[in-house]
Amino acid sequence: MGRRRHQARLRSQALAYRAAALLAIGAAVITGALIALSTAPRPRLDSTALRFPVSPRLIASVDDAGRLEPLGMVIPPDASQAPSWPPALLNPEARLRWGWDLSLGRPGSREVLFTFDDGPNPGTTDRLLPMLARANIHAAFFVCGWRLESSEQPLRNRARQILRDIVAAGHVVGNHTVHHYQLPTLTPERVRYEIEHNADLIQEVIGERPHLFRPPYGAYSEDVRRHLVSKGNELWMWSIDPHDYLLVNNAESVAQRVITNLGNHAGGTVLLHDTHPWSVAAMAKIIRWLDRENSDREQSGRAPYVVLDPARYLEGARARLPQIQAADALANSSSRGRSRDAGADTGPAVEPTTGVVGEGPVDAGVATAAMDAGDGR
């Protein structure tokens, strides 16, 4: 009798072990499926596929009957996996108009990219970096090389260390030439020197050459364009320029101009200068506004602003390429039609890249006046 009870106990234990094993296997399968689903790329509501894993969040309101009514979906960046850097070129022919248009980013997305020009500058850039770190913002810094090879050793050493700090903090470094000259006024040889020597200096400090290029003052020429194409660089402009170099010691006005234009353009590429103390102070005000504004937007069911790193922002800007290409095709078609009407066929329209241009399509007049006055952008 005791022997039968012992055998029954053993059979029960064996069944319990098998059941536990099956439960463990089932849990593992379910967990793996959930992980795969959570990291799979999902489409935005505008059907533009994202190329990086995201975790969407539904925004809804409650109607009079107490039912949830979906208003839209917010797809924030996924910090765990970023697109590869450098990305495939958006603008392989380095066309100036494309550079301006692409800086607008994904249409209507309220996605924001912060960019800073002319540094690294001891005393201002090193004050900006902790501020960006606390807000989890990763920006693009367009660097001027004269600071990295200054004859004043303390300035040179400090600027180089700050540049290494920029990279260590997860920001992207772009090329803004050595001396910040208006490139269309230079010989082709000097244009190459300003761009390539600056790239050499940056590579010497951080170990890699910059992928992004921004011409000082937005001044462009065919020599610059050909050189960027030959080097496979991405021309990156801006869509929001508060002209902070004119607003000396007026952080409030700088911040308000950025905030107003973020609303007007539903996001975009912001241009600031990390060499001005008032611009650094303005950045603190902009970050506080974004925090308050996004809180209000989420409470009222509106899509918030999303500050992206350069890799994700450029990846999102690919959604703008079809409309840019369609506009180009329409412009070329109209140009050929006008040529036929005039009795001549001049071929495709040529982009007017030669000569000094203004600082963007909206504020070109202000920028041109500033250039004439010799500002230090």
Side-chain angles (χ1 to χ4, degrees), residues 218-239:
Y220 207 55
S221 71
E222 182 61 20
D223 287 332
V224 179
R225 190 195 70 80
R226 281 196 295 262
H227 187 78
L228 296 183
V229 171
S230 72
K231 296 299 180 179
N233 289 159
E234 186 77 74
L235 173 69
W236 198 255
M237 308 303 280
W238 59 90
S239 59

Side-chain angles (χ1 to χ4, degrees), residues 305-325:
Y305 290 90
V306 182
V307 180
L308 298 183
D309 59 69
R312 290 189 179 88
Y313 190 89
L314 267 68
E315 195 64 30
R318 292 186 192 280
R320 197 171 286 276
L321 281 174
Q323 70 185 61
I324 294 174
Q325 292 162 345

Side-chain angles (χ1 to χ4, degrees), residues 50-52 77-79 81-88 90 105-106 111-115 137-141 170-173 211-212 234 236 269 307-319:
L50 289 175
R51 298 171 182 248
F52 47 89
D78 179 7
Q81 297 186 38
S84 61
W85 187 267
L90 292 164
R106 192 189 303 272
E111 291 171 350
V112 182
L113 172 64
F114 285 104
T115 66
I137 290 174
H138 295 100
F141 286 79
H171 305 291
V172 166
V173 174
H211 173 69
L212 300 180
E234 186 77 74
W236 198 255
T269 301
V307 180
L308 298 183
D309 59 69
R312 290 189 179 88
Y313 190 89
L314 267 68
E315 195 64 30
R318 292 186 192 280

Side-chain angles (χ1 to χ4, degrees), residues 179-301:
H179 296 106
H180 205 277
Y181 295 142
Q182 293 186 21
L183 294 178
T185 68
L186 306 181
T187 64
E189 292 75 20
R190 187 68 186 188
V191 166
R192 286 194 293 273
Y193 172 82
E194 284 292 321
I195 298 174
E196 288 309 302
H197 184 53
N198 199 41
D200 291 340
L201 290 168
I202 292 170
Q203 184 173 22
E204 181 183 330
V205 176
I206 67 172
E208 59 184 41
R209 297 182 80 77
H211 173 69
L212 300 180
F213 176 78
R214 173 174 286 172
Y217 310 99
Y220 207 55
S221 71
E222 182 61 20
D223 287 332
V224 179
R225 190 195 70 80
R226 281 196 295 262
H227 187 78
L228 296 183
V229 171
S230 72
K231 296 299 180 179
N233 289 159
E234 186 77 74
L235 173 69
W236 198 255
M237 308 303 280
W238 59 90
S239 59
I240 297 174
D241 180 4
H243 301 300
D244 54 343
Y245 52 91
L246 296 175
L247 299 172
V248 179
N249 295 328
N250 196 341
E252 185 63 34
S253 292
V254 173
Q256 285 304 317
R257 287 190 180 187
V258 171
I259 290 166
T260 298
N261 279 282
L262 283 174
N264 290 343
H265 299 291
T269 301
V270 178
L271 166 63
L272 288 166
H273 295 82
D274 53 311
T275 55
H276 301 322
W278 55 91
S279 300
V280 174
M283 190 63 201
K285 296 176 182 293
I286 295 165
I287 291 172
R288 286 196 294 270
W289 174 82
L290 281 168
D291 186 55
R292 292 193 303 269
E293 177 70 9
N294 278 350
S295 178
D296 292 344
R297 284 179 165 274
E298 293 187 30
Q299 289 178 14
S300 60

